[in-house]
Amino acid sequence: MIAKLRGVVDSTGDDWVVIDVGGVGYLVFASTRTLSRVSVGEAAVLIVETHVREDHIHLYGFSAEAERAFFRLLLTVQGVGAKVALAILSVGSPDDIARAIAAADRGMLTRATGVGPKLAGRIVAELKDKVVAFPVHAGGAGAEGVSRIGPVSVAPVAGACDVSGDAVSALVNLGYGRADAFAAVAVSARDLGENATVQGLLSASLRYLGRGLQA
């Protein structure tokens, strides 16, 4: 099994890149986010997921382990194949997508080619509880620390991530489920912006949860 490729970018396409490793060219399928990080003629390192079938061997490349892990998670959903999983990973980072799923934001998922409302709903239904504990890079791509969505092991990144984590923990202590708490905080944090306080997030989240209970 091929788990990593280090070489020179030979050529690229809409959803693929050829990596020249010692004179051998490997065709690797990738998301547009990963492809945006490579350039023809330059060195590149890709984490690889190898799929072996009776009629083919396909390589899928990722710029970070978190992206490959989320690719694997998406494939557990019925109706999501490798092509659709890469399309989903093309519309946002793994933590962006995890937050969208936790907040039941089907609109973001349907931005991916091949994902309609029905499939988006299935992805949310099957992964909403799983992404709560999914490890992501806090603060988005390039962040140094690693956290988990929800109150589990939030930090070492300070700032907004800590505020959201504290708000989620407070809601859980009030008796709300972890997934519902995170969904409410995720929506509230988006509405309030980066200067949101714990108290502000709590108030907005409780209003969000109240509307959900009345629906």
Side-chain angles (χ1 to χ4, degrees):
M1 289 290 184
I2 298 173
K4 178 189 286 188
L5 288 175
R6 182 190 302 272
V8 176
V9 179
D10 179 86
S11 56
T12 62
D14 291 339
D15 62 353
W16 56 267
V17 57
V18 173
I19 304 293
D20 186 318
V21 182
V24 178
Y26 292 87
L27 175 65
V28 183
F29 296 98
S31 69
T32 56
R33 288 177 57 83
T34 292
L35 291 172
S36 70
R37 292 175 169 84
V38 301
S39 299
V40 174
E42 296 186 0
V45 178
L46 291 180
I47 298 169
V48 173
E49 178 81 358
T50 303
H51 284 191
V52 179
R53 301 291 185 267
E54 291 183 0
D55 56 344
H56 68 255
I57 298 176
H58 281 175
L59 304 181
Y60 300 95
F62 310 94
S63 58
E65 178 58 43
E67 190 179 20
R68 179 171 67 173
F70 212 90
F71 175 80
R72 291 172 173 173
L73 183 65
L74 287 168
L75 292 182
T76 66
V77 179
Q78 181 182 2
V80 176
K83 186 174 182 179
V84 170
L86 288 180
I88 293 172
L89 288 168
S90 293
V91 301
S93 65
D95 40 334
D96 290 335
I97 298 166
R99 294 178 194 283
I101 292 173
D105 184 359
R106 296 171 178 81
M108 179 180 180
L109 297 175
T110 56
R111 286 164 49 193
T113 301
V115 179
K118 184 176 181 179
L119 182 55
R122 186 183 305 140
I123 292 170
V124 168
E126 294 189 21
L127 299 185
K128 184 175 182 180
D129 292 333
K130 294 180 181 179
V131 298
V132 171
F134 190 82
V136 296
H137 287 81
E144 294 179 358
V146 175
S147 68
R148 291 182 183 273
I149 294 177
V152 183
S153 303
V154 177
V157 178
C161 185
D162 289 336
V163 171
S164 295
D166 289 344
V168 171
S169 295
L171 290 171
V172 171
N173 290 335
L174 289 173
Y176 291 98
R178 185 182 302 169
D180 290 338
F182 178 77
V185 170
V187 171
S188 300
R190 181 182 61 199
D191 293 342
L192 296 178
E194 60 183 15
N195 295 321
T197 63
V198 173
Q199 187 58 49
L201 285 176
L202 273 176
S203 298
S205 297
L206 287 170
R207 288 195 297 271
Y208 172 88
L209 290 166
R211 290 196 298 270
L213 291 174
Q214 294 170 8

